[in-house]
Amino acid sequence: MPDLASAILIAVAAESLVTPVRIGRPDAPTTLTVWAQQDYSHLAARPAIADTFTAIFEEWARTRPDVQLRLSVMPALELHKAKLQLAAQAGRLPDIASIDSFWMPLFLAGGYLQPLNDDWPEEDRRDFLPFTISTLSDASGRVFGLWHETDCRVLFYRRDLVPTPPRTWDELIDVASRVARERHIAGYLYNAGRWEATVFDHLAMFWGQGGELVDGEGRPIFGEPPHRERMLRLFEFLRETVRSGASPTSVLASNDYQQLTAAATAGDVAMFLGGNWQLNDLRAGLRAEDFANWEIAPIPQANGATPSTGTGGWVWVVFTRDRERRRAAVEFIRDVERRDHAARISMATGHLPARRSVYRDYPFFSRDRWYQRFGEMLRYGRARPLVAVYPAISQALQIAIGDVISGAQAPDAAVDRAFDAARAEHARLTAANLPRARRPSAVARAPAIGVAILALFVLWRVARENRQLAVWLMPAVALVATLLLYPMLELVRIAADGRTIAALLLDPQFRAMLAVTLVFVAASVTMQLGLGLGFAWLIDAAHRRRAAGTLAARVAVVSAWVMPGVLAGVMWKILLIENRAGIINYYLSRVGAGPLPLLSSARLALVSVVAANIWRGCAFSMVLQHAGLQRVPRERHEAADLEGASAWQRLRWVMLPEIAPVVALNAVLITIATFNTFDLIMPLTGGGPARSTEVISLFMYRLAFFDLDPSKAAAVAVVMLAVNLSLAWVAVRLMWRRESV
Amino acid sequence: MRRWPFVAALAAVAAAFVAPQLWLLSLSLKSKAAVYEFPPRWIPSHPTAANYWFALTSTQVPWYLWNSVVVALVATATTMAIATPAAYVLSRERFRDRARLLAAMLVVQMLSPVVLLVPIYRLVERASLVDTRSGLVLVYAAMQVPFTTWVLKNFFDAVPRALFEAALVDGASRVRTLFSIALPVASPGLAAAAIFNLAAYWSEFSLALVLLDSQERFTMPLGLFSFQSAYETDWQLLAAASFIGLVPVMIAFVLLQRFFVAGLTAGAVKG
């Protein structure tokens, strides 16, 4: 079977020059690795974009039979950035990557980016919008990236509901809350989920008041006067959007522009703050007469502020240091961004071209009234500061905005906390840039040496009794020692090295996370135990009465447990959709209880995550407790029947004595499993909204692989390790009693 | 005694666990427009296989499936090959540290790999095995060897003593006894352990997330995770891709239901 499948796969893949993972001939001698962007490749969700890139890539592959590209498209933006940063640290960066323009400082600082000047003629560079070259150049004129498209943010509104577009925040809240009241649709939507756009979209409202995030040296200043006042006003405005009813709390779960488009095409919103490219999505998704209702306007500002909009965009960069490969890499990206290609791509994506000649020579852009308007807006457009601390600022502000809108924090407290976080990160970055004297540490090798000695000692003791036995045990002992015991000790060493464990206990984020974890574990475990026992009793009782369907019910419950955790998470995300495609919300509204913000409200999201976890985990309790119930002697049941025992008496005197040890063991085992839950929550909420469903494993993962703070992550993991090992020890004690080893 | 309340209650329980999966199936057969149909329909009015066709021809889903098959099979084979001799010795032989080793295996088996993500990533990186399937297989094998050893030891324990004594009289070596007596007699147990491992490897997410970079090497759970953000509002596509990942598990589960439950209880309660 597998051989057949692979044969088919290879046959299909060899046929074409462009597959989902490769561009070019599979036997081409030069291989370049590319980490691209999903929406800027032949795998884009929108067919028009996908087809354009397929054609461009096929043409390129035909002209360059000597080069093949191994392609990975990174859809989740945050993951893309985190993977690139890890790869940079480990020295396994791809040859080419497409990155968000504001990530540039992260890779520029480490010297990972290669200048493109040698293979990119000056006259071609002059065709690009000036800011796209100057922002990416250093003082000596070396250009480190090719800016492929740009964009700007605008207010989309429906003319039939909003006759004149609001210019100020007050006007916006006024008209949006009125529409929401009268029409029962969202008045105004925007991104407030935990991602970059939540901050970037709103920076225009901060810049418009004269606010600045950082000073000339890249030091955060947004929490100092006069900028603090401006941030505060923005936060108060955002809080007011939800308080006034202008916006639903579901904005807190908005972490993709497509969600805004989806609401607009479903007819569920009157206005939203979006990006210029969404115009195409609206045109594609709406009937012509409905699309005619949509119009764009500059982003509403505070009273007396100047217009502003954020301009972003993605950049091709080259990491490979090898001269020949670098040349091939630059040739590839220049071919993709050739004038006619760039024009075709921007027509498909709806983004704004970065080449001036495209605006001038293609009627699609020069004659179009929308592009004329966008062109005007680009004039007061502004890019994010290219400083290393920006991502940290953005992250702090994302959390702050989420907290302010959900009401978890007052605006002034939120600004101050975000500012503290940004300043701390800035201090850490500045300190990290200083050359650190690496002390040669004997401690660093201690875990490896310790584990090696332990493993050899165990085997030696066995070998003294019987040499053959040691040989039979060796592979297992070696593997477990290397990949389980050594990591455990190494974890403790990393945490101890960073001296982070004590600091962790004072960290308010850590404490908040512990509270979330506690609620999650306690609720899941009690419900799983209770329902598991209930189902086990039901099946046992039905079986004794020879009722039909016991096997079917068992299989149904266990099928949920067999399902891979990620899949269960994805499935629940689909069930919990908050618009009209969501089935659970449909039934909730049928009984008059909904629709509810099941994933976007902090409290309900936690309830949803717990529900999904119970759904998946019941089976384990049911099977264990059913096994326990089956050990209750039949005569005891019959005796209870004769005496006419009540259900409670039967549970208390007939069943519990027999199953109590099983229940105890079961409780410990599912506590361990629930405490470590990761795969279910990642696709379901990713820990959001804000951090309301971020349990300990996600917290640790985020620290290690997003914030790149391994010693703090190790400290959290040590806490997890301690909990795991002590619970495991309890479980083994419980088991040992039942086993005759 | 009345039976129908029990039948009704059993049906309600079964529905609560099957309905979500059926809804997934229903969505996967709908067009994008039908997803937003109101009121929602459980049975699509115009069922279409287009989502499945798209997922299998225009996305990386075939690569994800293939990688999962390879990784799960190779990792299971490795695990079984390493755990079997250890389990056999721990079951048949008596030596001083035996109980201690068994207890250690039992404790370590309960540890989640999520806890060790940071040091394991560092270790695999130092071995230059990040973004390779071999690195993933090695780590996977290590994660499941303690559990598998423990389960197999229990199955070997159940082989009647008389069989071994007969072999001993014939003067058979330990290797021969293992292959000619223990393995054949304990084969249902071996199968249960292997299936349990296959299911665990098919589902594993956190290690794959950290140890793999390139989509051409992603396994199904990781692929699905990236798929969901790529096609976030194309729920029908996401449903189809999810269902493709679910089908192998469900087929294995329905065919081998007994073994699954055996594997579930074996590590925890001896029946």
Side-chain angles (χ1 to χ4, degrees), chain B:
Chain B
M1 189 89 178
R2 294 152 294 137
R3 277 182 203 161
W4 67 264
F6 285 94
V7 178
L10 288 172
V13 170
F17 285 85
V18 173
Q21 303 174 53
L22 288 181
W23 179 246
L24 196 67
L25 175 64
S26 164
L27 265 191
S28 73
L29 297 171
K30 290 180 177 177
S31 67
K32 185 165 185 171
V35 169
Y36 289 93
E37 218 172 12
F38 202 86
R41 285 166 179 273
W42 279 83
I43 297 171
S45 44
H46 301 285
T48 165
N51 301 316
Y52 289 93
W53 180 248
F54 182 84
L56 288 172
T57 57
S58 308
T59 73
Q60 307 94 327
V61 165
W63 278 264
Y64 301 155
L65 281 174
W66 173 241
N67 291 326
S68 270
V69 168
V70 171
V71 167
L73 284 178
V74 177
T76 300
T78 314
T79 311
M80 299 299 286
I82 291 173
T84 305
Y88 183 70
V89 162
L90 286 168
S91 165
R92 299 302 316 159
E93 308 288 341
R94 292 290 174 272
F95 51 95
R96 229 181 322 160
D97 290 329
R98 179 174 165 277
R100 257 178 236 141
L101 274 177
L102 279 170
M105 290 277 185
L106 205 52
V107 171
V108 167
Q109 162 248 314
M110 285 177 212
L111 193 70
S112 163
V114 177
V115 179
L116 299 177
L117 284 182
V118 171
I120 285 182
Y121 168 78
R122 288 190 165 196
L123 187 63
V124 174
E125 189 203 301
R126 223 174 304 153
S128 302
L129 287 174
V130 171
D131 203 21
T132 65
R133 276 165 295 208
S134 353
L136 196 63
V137 163
L138 264 182
V139 176
Y140 276 5
M143 290 296 146
Q144 289 289 339
V145 156
F147 170 77
T148 312
T149 307
W150 180 255
V151 172
L152 290 182
K153 179 228 159 234
N154 281 347
F155 284 117
F156 287 139
D157 284 350
V159 177
R161 197 160 273 277
L163 289 177
F164 289 107
E165 277 154 15
L168 208 62
V169 171
D170 291 347
S173 70
R174 192 176 282 120
V175 179
R176 247 195 79 191
T177 323
L178 172 65
F179 278 98
S180 62
I181 296 176
L183 289 186
V185 176
S187 56
L190 287 172
I195 292 163
F196 195 85
N197 280 331
L198 283 173
Y201 296 144
W202 188 271
S203 310
E204 204 288 330
F205 172 63
S206 59
L207 288 166
L209 174 67
V210 167
L211 295 180
L212 296 177
D213 286 341
S214 309
Q215 276 179 323
E216 58 180 315
R217 285 186 273 278
F218 277 13
T219 53
M220 198 63 202
L222 186 53
L224 206 58
F225 180 65
S226 70
F227 197 90
Q228 79 143 5
S229 47
Y231 300 96
E232 184 140 41
T233 51
D234 293 293
W235 302 108
Q236 72 291 354
L237 260 182
L238 187 56
S242 305
F243 218 79
I244 293 171
L246 184 59
V247 165
V249 190
M250 284 301 156
I251 291 177
F253 169 59
V254 170
L255 290 179
L256 306 159
Q257 201 249 122
R258 246 160 9 98
F259 288 130
F260 261 105
V261 176
L264 189 63
T265 37
V269 190
K270 221 169 115 187

Side-chain angles (χ1 to χ4, degrees), chain A residues 543-557:
Chain A
H543 191 69
R544 275 187 280 116
R545 288 167 181 78
R546 298 196 177 74
T550 53
L551 180 66
R554 270 182 68 151
V555 170
V557 177

